[in-house]
């Protein structure tokens, strides 16, 4: 009887522990692939990734804590099982921007399902030399520099506890992804670093940016065309140009933008807070709808709330023809703090397709101790609670 009870107990214990035993990934340690500290990690990482990607059970590529040099690299799938790249060390890019392909990403991931990037690593793009060569903020006819990260056609993936530092161009480009999350993701670059957008999203669905700190020289987060179901929560932005939808309406075949939530975020010393920007003078017609901005704190922010449908930097367009981008179902709720400009809210919509179903609720912005003002054109917002009075 006791023997039978022992067998039953052991069997039950095995069944209880089996899932955790099975769940342990196969580890591919970079040191087994000649990955040495202060050396070039590129070839070793490529070989370890290839082996891990071929694994039929969950795998983890492990890079221990140290400093490594890394040339331009593409890590792509499809892989046969979930895969994690766990890097505890510091990864350093070449300083010379000419060592990268034109308009490329330094570290590019593509066509992988169930991917994780983790470990606490800092990816240092060493962009200060390249920034001096960057005039893309002044002209579209410029040499494109390398981004730190590209995530292309990645599904069901998470990037957590990673820092992107001093990228030569954008820090992160997200393209064609579905269900991808950035958590505890940090971006570091000075305010004077040009065109260093933090995270740029395009033609992707279910993107989440959570519990993150972004300081850079351009938009902290920007949404290009085709961005859908994007959530930004508990993000601190600054320095930078705020969180932007757009610019939109410049290029043919752009796709709609819909379903953005920005909440519980703080903006510190940024050039803008939350912004929607579209180009006039083009025939592009796309809808932008279901955008929610709520529970936001502005600390010394220029233009805390702005809709700009006359966006035309460096006079690269004509404002004679209004924007054809239709903005609707937008809400700004519980936004408070300090503005460095008297106009704390500027809502300039298109005269051709005025904004519709815009709600303003409980907006308390102050300029030098007095309430900030609001300018509104081609818009009749619904107002709830304490909100600056709109003037044309």
């Amino acid at each position: 009887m006791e023997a039978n009870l022992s067998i039953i107990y052991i069997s039950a214990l095995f069944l209880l522990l089996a899932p955790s035993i099975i769940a342990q990934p196969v580890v591919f340690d970079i040191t087994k692939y000649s990955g040495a500290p202060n050396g070039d990690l590129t070839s070793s990482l490529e070989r370890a990734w290839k082996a891990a990607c071929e694994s039929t059970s969950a795998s983890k590529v492990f890079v221990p804590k140290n400093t490594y040099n890394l040339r331009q690299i593409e890590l792509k799938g499809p892989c046969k099982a979930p895969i994690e790249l766990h890097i505890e060390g510091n990864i350093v890019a070449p300083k010379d921007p000419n060592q990268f392909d034109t308009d490329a990403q330094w570290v590019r991931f593509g066509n992988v399902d169930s991917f994780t990037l983790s470990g606490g690593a800092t990816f240092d793009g060493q962009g200060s030399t390249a920034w001096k060569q960057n005039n893309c903020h002044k002209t579209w006819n410029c040499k494109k520099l390398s981004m730190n990260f590209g995530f292309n056609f990645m599904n069901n993936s998470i990037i957590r506890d990673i820092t992107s530092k001093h990228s030569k161009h954008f820090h992160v480009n997200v393209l064609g992804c579905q269900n991808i999350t950035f958590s505890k993701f940090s971006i570091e670059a000075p305010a004077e670093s040009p065109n260093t957008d933090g995270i740029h999203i395009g033609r992707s669905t279910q993107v989440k940016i959570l519990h993150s700190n972004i300081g850079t020289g351009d938009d902290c987060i920007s949404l290009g065309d085709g961005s859908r179901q994007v959530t930004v929560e508990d993000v601190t932005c600054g320095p930078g140009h705020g969180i932007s939808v757009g610019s939109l309406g410049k290029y043919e075949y752009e796709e709609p933008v819909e379903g953005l939530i920005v909440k519980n975020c703080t903006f510190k010393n940024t050039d803008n807070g939350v912004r929607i920007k579209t180009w006039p003078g083009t025939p592009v017609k796309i809808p932008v709808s279901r955008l929610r901005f709520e529970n936001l704190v502005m600390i010394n922010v220029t233009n805390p709330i702005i809709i700009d449908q006359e966006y035309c930097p460096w006079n690269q367009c004509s404002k004679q023809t209004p924007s054809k981008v239709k903005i609707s179902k937008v809400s700004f709720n519980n936004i408070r703090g300090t503005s460095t400009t008297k106009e704390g809210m500027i809502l300039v919509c298109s005269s051709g397709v005025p904004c519709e179903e815009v709600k303003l609720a409980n907006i308390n912005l102050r300029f030098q101790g007095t309430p900030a003002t609001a300018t509104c054109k081609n818009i009749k917002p619904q107002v709830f609670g304490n909100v600056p009075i709109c003037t044309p």
Side-chain angles (χ1 to χ4, degrees):
M1 182 68 176
E2 290 182 0
N4 290 336
L5 287 174
S6 297
I7 292 170
I8 293 171
Y9 174 77
I10 292 169
S11 299
L13 184 62
F14 176 79
L15 290 172
L16 183 65
L17 295 176
S20 62
I21 295 170
I22 295 170
Q24 294 301 310
V26 180
V27 177
F28 295 81
D29 192 325
I30 202 71
T31 60
K32 305 291 178 58
Y33 294 84
S34 305
N38 301 310
D40 189 327
L41 189 67
T42 314
S43 177
S44 301
L45 182 54
E46 286 174 337
R47 288 185 286 117
W49 174 272
K50 184 177 180 181
C53 194
E54 287 293 321
S55 173
T56 55
S57 58
S59 62
K60 177 190 288 189
V61 177
F62 176 69
V63 181
K65 192 170 185 178
N66 223 306
T67 298
Y68 305 87
N69 298 314
L70 183 67
R71 290 176 281 116
Q72 186 176 353
I73 190 170
E74 183 174 15
L75 303 173
K76 60 184 179 180
C79 297
K80 294 180 179 179
I83 185 169
E84 178 177 1
L85 177 55
H86 183 93
I87 303 179
E88 297 181 355
N90 294 321
I91 310 300
V92 182
K95 282 186 178 181
D96 184 0
N98 295 316
Q99 291 191 31
F100 298 84
D101 294 340
T102 303
D103 200 15
Q105 287 109 20
W106 169 32
V107 184
R108 185 198 304 249
F109 299 94
N111 297 290
V112 182
D113 194 358
S114 301
F115 167 73
T116 300
L117 176 62
S118 65
T122 294
F123 286 76
D124 186 352
Q126 297 204 97
S128 57
T129 300
W131 298 334
K132 299 172 185 176
Q133 303 176 26
N134 191 335
N135 64 341
C136 294
H137 57 299
K138 296 182 179 180
T139 175
W140 293 100
N141 185 23
C142 62
K143 178 182 177 181
K144 297 294 191 298
L145 299 171
S146 176
M147 306 177 192
N148 269 9
F149 289 106
F151 296 96
N152 306 310
F153 308 101
M154 308 287 286
N155 298 327
N156 307 311
S157 298
I158 183 167
I159 295 86
R160 64 169 180 259
D161 298 313
I162 295 294
T163 296
S164 176
K165 180 180 178 181
H166 292 183
S167 181
K168 295 175 176 64
H169 193 216
F170 289 11
H171 285 263
V172 176
N173 191 60
V174 178
L175 176 65
C177 295
Q178 184 167 352
N179 190 23
I180 184 170
T181 298
F182 295 82
S183 181
K184 297 181 181 179
F185 189 79
S186 297
I187 290 176
E188 299 176 4
E192 60 271 15
S193 57
N195 281 103
T196 52
D197 286 44
I199 300 176
H200 179 73
I201 303 163
R203 304 203 174 188
S204 297
T205 303
Q206 291 180 287
V207 181
K208 298 181 182 68
I209 304 170
L210 312 172
H211 320 306
S212 297
N213 291 284
I214 301 175
T216 191
D218 212 298
D219 292 335
C220 291
I221 298 168
S222 58
L223 275 66
D225 76 287
S227 298
R228 296 176 172 88
Q229 299 176 41
V230 177
T231 299
V232 180
E233 183 174 1
D234 188 26
V235 170
T236 298
C237 169
H241 295 179
I243 295 177
S244 293
V245 177
S247 58
L248 299 169
K250 183 175 175 63
Y251 300 105
E252 196 175 3
Y253 307 120
E254 289 187 11
E255 296 182 3
V257 173
E258 58 184 6
L260 167 67
I261 300 174
V262 179
K263 64 180 180 180
N264 303 330
C265 295
T266 300
F267 299 78
K268 296 181 179 180
N269 304 307
T270 54
D271 286 1
N272 301 284
V274 289
R275 175 169 59 156
I276 305 169
K277 50 185 178 178
T278 74
W279 289 78
T282 75
V284 179
K285 299 180 181 179
I286 59 167
V288 175
S289 64
R290 296 193 296 112
L291 313 181
R292 288 168 43 198
F293 304 93
E294 57 191 44
N295 301 328
L296 308 179
V297 176
M298 306 287 172
I299 303 173
N300 297 325
V301 171
T302 304
N303 302 323
I305 301 171
I306 182 167
I307 295 177
D308 183 5
Q309 293 209 258
E310 296 178 352
Y311 180 75
C312 187
W314 306 102
N315 296 317
Q316 297 178 61
C317 64
S318 170
K319 295 184 180 181
Q320 293 182 354
T321 304
S323 174
K324 292 180 171 60
V325 176
K326 178 68 175 182
I327 297 174
S328 65
K329 298 180 180 177
V330 181
S331 64
F332 300 94
N333 181 27
N334 193 23
I335 300 175
R336 64 192 188 280
T338 54
S339 172
T340 63
T341 47
K342 186 174 179 57
E343 291 179 305
M345 183 169 64
I346 301 173
L347 307 178
V348 178
C349 294
S350 170
S351 60
V353 281
C355 298
E356 293 183 347
E357 298 182 66
V358 176
K359 296 180 180 180
L360 309 175
N362 302 316
I363 296 172
N364 183 8
L365 297 169
R366 302 187 73 80
F367 168 71
Q368 295 181 355
T370 61
T373 61
T375 297
C376 304
K377 291 173 59 177
N378 306 310
I379 182 175
K380 295 179 180 179
Q382 298 173 273
V383 176
F384 303 89
N386 180 35
V387 173
I389 298 173
C390 276
T391 58

